[in-house]
Amino acid sequence: MIRAENITLSYRDGQLRLPVLQGISIHIKRGEWVALTGANGCGKSSLIRTFNGLNIPSGGSLSAAGLDLRSPENRTAIKRHIQLVFQNPEAQTVGSTPFEDVAFGLENRGLSRGEMLVRIEKALHQVGLAPKTSADVSTLSGGERQRLAVACCLALETEMIIFDEATSMLDPAGRRDILGLARKLWEQGTTVLWVTQRMEELAASPRVAVMGAGKLLYDGEPRTLFYSSRLPDDLGWPSAPVIRIGQLLQAKGWPLHSLPLTEQELEAVL
């Protein structure tokens, strides 16, 4: 789905060029779930906007959905395959109702009225907003607005959705709602890149990529990251309660593969 080889990105500030991405190499297969994390300013947003064609790499090679993103025409075409759900729910709506909001992207694609109606109905049903098709967008909760943003992606029949800290501005119920929706789409075949700084979301992901100062510091499964790496301590991450208990078990000689990452795994252990 995405193949990045030694990509770099820099911005010009007067006479200086400031490095943002420094030699990032990462491959994301179709149908994978990858969690991406790192401190604010580490380059996460710059990287995912490069995947979506919004940033142009300064060096290296980058292809997504088989398209070479160094070619200008492909940076528009890639949006047919990869869509972004941003952090701020209110910054993503352009229509006055969910129907109009989903229709906006379809109109830009030049779809027929009949095809648009089918796709809008299906997408709003998938995210649980069918009863609010004609509601005023301003009456929707933050979680509902994020679901609406996902509906816009689904209506475009995207192959991959990048969630850029999409739950960070939501309450706990809203976070569970969006995370559950993303996991359901992943189980149905959608490729997901889940950007987060929440330890419990990283621990529950099959693959975690960690960035720092524009570099990729780790790319692998979470159990090794939390139990066999000094990186969480070096980065000053707070340990989740489950991980702290797992570390106590580790000190007593429990093997790595049996150490818990989620509350469900901890319950099974206990």
Side-chain angles (χ1 to χ4, degrees), residues 42-63:
C42 72
K44 300 189 304 296
S45 293
S46 295
L47 180 63
I48 62 176
R49 282 161 174 74
T50 303
F51 292 163
N52 187 242
L54 296 175
N55 289 335
I56 304 171
S58 306
S61 63
L62 175 62
S63 65

Side-chain angles (χ1 to χ4, degrees), residues 5-174:
E5 298 285 356
N6 200 36
I7 62 171
T8 59
L9 178 67
S10 58
Y11 294 133
R12 184 174 294 280
D13 183 11
Q15 298 299 314
L16 301 176
R17 293 198 68 84
L18 305 177
V20 179
L21 302 177
Q22 304 183 60
I24 300 286
S25 294
I26 187 170
H27 304 160
I28 299 176
K29 297 178 182 178
R30 193 177 305 276
E32 269 199 290
W33 176 295
V34 180
L36 176 65
T37 192
N40 292 335
C42 72
K44 300 189 304 296
S45 293
S46 295
L47 180 63
I48 62 176
R49 282 161 174 74
T50 303
F51 292 163
N52 187 242
L54 296 175
N55 289 335
I56 304 171
S58 306
S61 63
L62 175 62
S63 65
L67 300 172
D68 186 345
L69 294 188
R70 293 171 297 183
S71 301
E73 63 272 15
N74 288 341
R75 291 196 290 272
T76 298
I78 191 57
K79 292 173 178 58
R80 294 181 178 271
H81 305 272
I82 300 176
Q83 289 288 315
L84 280 165
V85 175
F86 294 100
Q87 187 177 42
N88 187 348
E90 297 184 5
Q92 301 174 86
T93 50
V94 293
S96 59
T97 67
F99 181 94
E100 292 179 1
D101 204 50
V102 179
F104 179 79
L106 299 177
E107 289 173 341
N108 289 338
R109 295 278 175 89
L111 271 66
S112 68
R113 176 74 175 177
E115 177 68 13
M116 283 176 54
L117 291 175
V118 170
R119 290 201 190 189
I120 293 169
E121 181 180 2
K122 179 181 178 181
L124 291 175
H125 176 75
Q126 280 182 278
V127 302
L129 288 179
K132 298 195 174 186
T133 297
S134 301
D136 191 316
V137 167
S138 65
T139 65
L140 301 182
S141 68
E144 288 173 331
R145 286 202 180 194
Q146 288 296 53
R147 280 192 274 154
L148 178 55
V150 175
C152 293
C153 299
L154 295 176
L156 295 171
E157 297 185 343
T158 187
E159 300 169 50
M160 177 178 185
I161 302 178
I162 301 174
F163 292 84
D164 185 9
E165 299 196 50
T167 64
S168 63
M169 299 181 69
L170 304 180
D171 60 25

Side-chain angles (χ1 to χ4, degrees), residues 195-213:
V195 184
T196 183
Q197 295 193 50
R198 295 185 176 277
M199 296 301 106
E200 66 275 15
E201 293 176 3
L202 296 176
S205 297
R207 178 181 171 192
V208 177
V210 183
M211 288 187 65

